[in-house]
Amino acid sequence: MEWWIQRSTAGLLATVFGSSADKAVPGDYTGDGKTDVAVWRPSTGNWIILRSEDLSYYAFPFGQNGDVPAPGDYDGDGKTDAAVFRPATSIWYANRSGGSGPLIAGFGLPTDQALPNVFVR
């Protein structure tokens, strides 16, 4: 997956990160106020985050094949949390970063579509 990012102060960043089967899930996972390049790999449930501050990366498993990634700040700590919607059961799973543990909630219908939090006002 190819990323072209026009940064507000540091110019253009072009990088290859992720594979063609990955889902793009950018967000501020590190809490530095900048969006990190990130992908979710449906085949393994792995989240792979490229840190904006030093371009190192880390990965962790959360979710499974068939889930729909739905990252957002689910605990209000200013960091993007990994989250998935499982259409088969209409259950949401969020890996909250603020120390309050995972969030598991049934909500919606199997035909619903999870939308990125940027569309919520």
Side-chain angles (χ1 to χ4, degrees), residues 16-90:
V16 174
F17 190 77
S19 71
S20 61
D22 293 344
K23 304 291 183 188
V25 289
D28 184 7
Y29 293 89
T30 60
D32 67 348
K34 298 177 183 175
T35 300
D36 302 304
V37 170
V39 296
W40 182 71
R41 189 158 291 159
S43 61
T44 63
N46 282 329
W47 293 72
I48 309 164
I49 316 297
L50 182 65
R51 293 180 182 96
S52 62
E53 52 267 46
D54 62 9
L55 300 181
S56 65
Y57 75 93
Y58 66 100
F60 57 91
F62 193 78
Q64 63 187 30
N65 201 0
D67 289 348
V68 178
D73 185 359
Y74 289 90
D75 56 8
D77 67 351
K79 295 180 183 179
T80 301
D81 303 311
V84 295
F85 173 63
R86 191 160 294 156
T89 59
S90 298

